[in-house]
């Protein structure tokens, strides 16, 4: 028999039949067409042959001793390694029920005996071509998915860049505009305090020199409560000092947080950046109607200066701390301050972080909601920053998607799904670090950041810059 021979590139065909004559006939015919043929006399031999070398197509008889063709096909489809191999049933059974069953168990084609050689070859070639098309389609789908992921990542990066530019400009502008008048107020408070003290001294001298003032002066002193004013003036000046100090701290925190003029990597104090971020979040940490103030527990290690993009790293701290506060507020809102709430076991072990279970219990009687910030140098050239809360925690099924763009566990309208994705890009792609989450439902969550102390490609730049500064006279 001679058929149109094509270049099969030695496609591997496994023929499974308990009749030796059928095996010899099919083997000779397919070998003549350029196929590489292997033979198996029963189902077990076929399964073993598939594990040794994966065939491109399997020709499978149905009626065989021990294990029939249907059972063999079911086992092939149940195995991830062999599930994609096309199975063509070839049998003397020509009933519709047999054919339907063959397709039900995973067969792709059915050839009835007696068969024609040309038909068998064409059907094998058809399945090989279909398989090649499927593989190409899978490759294209993979490339499309990759392109989609890259597009999403680019969108997130673009949003992040625009957000950071706008935020930096806004914060820098606000800090500048607030800094000027507050500096004027703060600078003159000292003089105002001195003037007030001098005036009080003059009044006291008048009282000593003229112990019996006129009735009019007595009445005015009584109306304004002169003694109270004299005593309270110092308190008033002190309160103004504290208020202006607080505003100056906020302005400095704004300036450090935005770092609008620091686009390049530089060595920074991580603890200072965390503190500046906490200043920005003071309004969210204060006591609320349904919960006490959130306590920040600082477990700072001895960290060296870290080379990083300071402004972007501040964004990561902001996202993680905001998420921790949201988790605590969600726990309070759900009335689920369960007994035993504490930090995730890894690296934590802070037993006092526990909450009550009665939603009717006044919050003043419940243990305190807390966020713990832990920093350490884990090993050579690696710094770890862990931010843990005792909020609601995160389900295991959701943790694998936390860093996907536009994925959020928050209610509609409360989260964009960009915060953790942006944080992942900043830490992993820009700082060559790692960010991970350890959490259990009802036991809070811990996000751990690990970044190198020095970035290798810019370490030499810093060295050259410092050498240049040292040689200039």
């Amino acid at each position: 028999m001679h058929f149109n021979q094509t270049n099969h590139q030695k496609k591997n065909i496994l023929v499974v039949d308990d009749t030796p004559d059928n095996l010899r006939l099919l083997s000779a015919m397919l070998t003549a067409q350029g196929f590489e043929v292997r033979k198996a006399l029963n189902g077990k031999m076929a399964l073993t042959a598939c594990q040794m070398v994966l065939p491109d197509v399997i020709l499978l008889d149905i009626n065989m001793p021990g294990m029939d063709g249907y059972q063999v096909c079911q086992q092939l489809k149940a195995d991830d390694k062999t599930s994609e191999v096309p199975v063509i049933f070839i049998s003397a059974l020509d009933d519709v029920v047999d054919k339907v069953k063959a397709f039900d168990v995973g067969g792709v084609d059915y050839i009835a005996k007696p068969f024609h050689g040309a038909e068998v070859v064409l059907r094998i070639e058809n399945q090989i071509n279909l398989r090649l098309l499927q593989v190409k389609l899978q490759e294209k789908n993979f490339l499309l998915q990759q392109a989609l992921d890259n597009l999403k990542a680019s969108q997130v990066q673009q949003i992040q860049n625009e957000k950071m530019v706008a935020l930096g400009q806004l914060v820098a502008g606000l800090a500048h505009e607030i800094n000027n008048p507050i500096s004027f107020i703060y600078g003159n408070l000292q003089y105002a305090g001195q003037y007030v003290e001098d005036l009080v001294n003059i009044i006291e001298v008048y009282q000593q020199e003229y112990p019996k003032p006129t009735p009019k002066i007595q009445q005015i002193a009584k109306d304004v409560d002169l003694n109270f004013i004299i005593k309270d003036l110092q308190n008033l000046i002190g309160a103004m000092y504290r208020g202006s100090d607080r505003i100056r701290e906020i302005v400095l925190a704004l300036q450090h947080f935005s770092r609008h003029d620091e686009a390049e990597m530089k060595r920074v104090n991580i603890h200072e950046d965390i503190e500046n971020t906490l200043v920005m979040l003071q309004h969210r940490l204060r006591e609320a109607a349904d919960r006490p103030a959130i306590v920040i527990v600082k477990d700072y290690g001895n960290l060296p200066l870290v080379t990083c993009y300071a402004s972007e790293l501040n964004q990561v701290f902001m996202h993680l701390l905001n998420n921790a506060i949201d988790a605590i507020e969600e726990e309070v809102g759900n009335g689920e301050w369960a007994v035993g709430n504490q930090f995730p076991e890894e690296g934590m072990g802070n037993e006092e972080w526990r909450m009550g279970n009665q939603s009717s219990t006044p919050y003043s009687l419940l243990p305190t909601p807390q966020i713990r910030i832990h920093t350490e140098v884990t090993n050579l050239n690696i710094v770890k920053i862990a931010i843990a809360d005792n909020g609601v925690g995160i389900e295991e099924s959701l943790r694998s998607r936390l860093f996907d763009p536009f994925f959020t566990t928050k209610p509609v309208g409360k989260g964009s799904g960009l915060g953790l994705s942006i944080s992942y890009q900043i830490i992993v792609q820009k700082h060559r670090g790692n960010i991970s989450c350890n959490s259990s439902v009802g036991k809070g969550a811990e996000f751990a950041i690990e970044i190198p102390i020095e970035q290798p490609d810019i370490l030499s730049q810093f060295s050259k810059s410092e050498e240049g500064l040292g040689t200039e006279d």
Side-chain angles (χ1 to χ4, degrees):
M1 289 182 288
H2 298 282
F3 312 111
N4 293 329
Q5 295 188 8
T6 57
N7 182 14
H8 302 294
Q9 297 180 349
K10 286 291 183 180
K11 293 297 180 181
N12 190 298
I13 311 298
L14 177 63
V15 182
V16 187
D17 199 315
D18 63 331
T19 305
D21 290 341
N22 289 338
L23 283 179
R24 283 192 292 270
L25 175 62
L26 288 168
S27 177
M29 180 183 66
L30 296 175
T31 302
Q33 296 299 312
F35 293 107
E36 180 182 340
V37 181
R38 291 184 297 148
K39 296 171 282 186
L41 282 167
N42 54 56
K44 289 185 178 180
M45 290 177 63
L47 294 174
T48 303
C50 288
Q51 293 299 322
M52 293 175 64
V53 178
L54 199 65
D56 294 299
V57 175
I58 298 174
L59 287 179
L60 182 60
D61 188 21
I62 294 177
N63 288 327
M64 295 184 295
M67 183 185 296
D68 63 28
Y70 299 133
Q71 294 171 317
V72 174
C73 188
Q74 285 176 326
Q75 290 200 28
L76 290 170
K77 298 303 173 182
D79 189 338
D80 290 338
K81 182 178 179 180
T82 57
S83 61
E84 299 294 329
V85 178
V87 176
I88 300 175
F89 281 94
I90 184 164
S91 174
L93 300 175
D94 198 22
D95 192 81
V96 174
V97 176
D98 297 312
K99 294 180 180 180
V100 170
K101 186 175 181 181
F103 287 109
D104 282 342
V105 296
V108 297
D109 205 347
Y110 193 99
I111 301 173
K113 296 177 182 178
F115 52 78
H116 297 280
E119 178 186 5
V120 174
V121 172
L122 289 174
R123 293 203 183 200
I124 290 174
E125 289 179 344
N126 183 45
Q127 292 304 322
I128 290 174
N129 290 333
L130 283 175
R131 181 61 188 148
L132 289 174
L133 290 174
Q134 287 176 344
V135 170
K136 289 181 180 179
L137 183 60
Q138 290 172 353
E139 290 174 352
K140 288 183 179 180
N141 286 340
F142 175 77
L143 292 174
L144 284 173
Q145 185 62 48
Q146 203 172 38
L148 179 61
D149 292 342
N150 291 337
L151 179 60
K152 284 184 178 181
S154 298
Q155 287 177 333
V156 170
Q157 189 61 47
Q158 185 176 3
I159 292 170
Q160 163 70 2
N161 291 340
E162 292 175 357
K163 181 178 178 181
M164 287 301 297
V165 170
L167 178 65
Q169 291 174 343
L170 175 64
V171 169
L174 281 173
H176 177 73
E177 292 301 324
I178 295 171
N179 192 50
N180 287 337
I182 197 59
S183 295
F184 175 78
I185 294 170
Y186 189 83
N188 285 289
L189 267 177
Q190 183 178 356
Y191 299 108
Q194 186 62 51
Y195 297 160
V196 167
E197 188 177 344
D198 292 342
L199 289 172
V200 169
N201 288 336
I202 291 174
I203 292 172
E204 289 176 346
V205 170
Y206 266 106
Q207 289 176 331
Q208 293 170 5
E209 295 295 325
Y210 300 97
K212 293 183 179 180
T214 65
K216 184 176 181 180
I217 293 175
Q218 290 179 359
Q219 185 61 42
I220 292 174
K222 182 179 180 181
D223 290 343
V224 301
D225 197 352
L226 181 61
N227 291 333
F228 172 78
I229 291 176
I230 291 173
K231 292 179 180 178
D232 194 51
L233 269 174
Q234 294 301 320
N235 294 333
L236 183 63
I237 295 296
M240 293 171 68
Y241 264 117
R242 291 191 297 273
S244 57
D245 266 335
R246 176 64 179 153
I247 295 174
R248 289 184 70 198
E249 287 176 5
I250 293 172
V251 168
L252 288 173
L254 285 169
Q255 291 173 332
H256 284 113
F257 179 81
S258 67
R259 296 186 185 266
H260 183 55
D261 56 345
E262 299 176 10
E264 298 300 322
M265 275 196 171
K266 63 175 293 184
R267 290 189 174 105
V268 300
N269 185 323
I270 292 293
H271 293 155
E272 282 186 3
D273 284 350
I274 293 174
E275 292 297 323
N276 291 328
T277 307
L278 289 172
V279 169
M280 303 282 289
L281 291 171
Q282 281 300 312
H283 66 288
R284 297 201 64 194
L285 298 172
R286 294 192 187 103
E287 180 179 346
D290 55 355
R291 63 159 174 80
I294 298 174
V295 175
I296 302 295
V297 177
K298 300 170 187 175
D299 182 19
Y300 290 166
N302 185 19
L303 300 187
L305 296 180
V306 178
T307 302
C308 64
Y309 292 103
S311 177
E312 297 191 13
L313 200 59
N314 286 342
Q315 276 293 105
V316 175
F317 296 149
M318 177 67 77
H319 287 313
L320 296 184
L321 288 167
N322 259 321
N323 286 345
I325 296 170
D326 289 341
I328 289 173
E329 290 183 341
E330 185 179 348
E331 183 91 341
V332 174
N334 293 340
E336 296 176 353
W337 284 21
V339 173
N341 265 27
Q342 58 187 25
F343 288 120
E345 295 177 2
E346 183 180 348
M348 295 293 108
N350 215 347
E351 292 299 329
E352 65 265 21
W353 286 48
R354 300 182 179 275
M355 292 183 164
N357 193 28
Q358 303 90 344
S359 58
S360 59
T361 303
Y363 78 70
S364 59
L365 302 180
L366 294 173
T368 307
Q370 301 183 36
I371 296 172
R372 182 182 180 188
I373 305 172
H374 171 79
T375 64
E376 63 174 319
V377 178
T378 58
N379 53 46
L380 185 61
N381 204 36
I382 296 294
V383 162
K384 179 179 180 181
I385 306 107
I387 297 175
D389 63 75
N390 55 352
V392 292
I394 303 169
E395 294 179 12
E396 185 177 357
S397 59
L398 301 178
R399 290 207 300 271
S400 62
R401 300 185 59 198
L402 284 178
F403 303 107
D404 291 351
F406 308 108
F407 175 78
T408 179
T409 59
K410 298 176 184 177
V412 176
K414 284 196 173 182
S416 64
L418 291 176
L420 288 178
S421 176
I422 290 170
S423 299
Y424 181 88
Q425 289 189 16
I426 291 172
I427 297 299
V428 176
Q429 297 179 10
K430 288 204 166 184
H431 291 85
R432 302 173 188 175
N434 182 54
I435 181 170
S436 60
C437 174
N438 177 36
S439 177
S440 297
V441 175
K443 293 187 178 180
E446 178 194 44
F447 284 87
I449 300 167
E450 292 182 329
I451 58 174
I453 296 173
E454 297 285 0
Q455 298 292 332
D457 56 343
I458 68 167
L459 181 59
S460 58
Q461 297 179 19
F462 279 123
S463 300
K464 291 178 181 177
S465 175
E466 290 170 356
E467 288 174 4
L469 290 173
T471 54
E472 289 180 0
D473 291 325

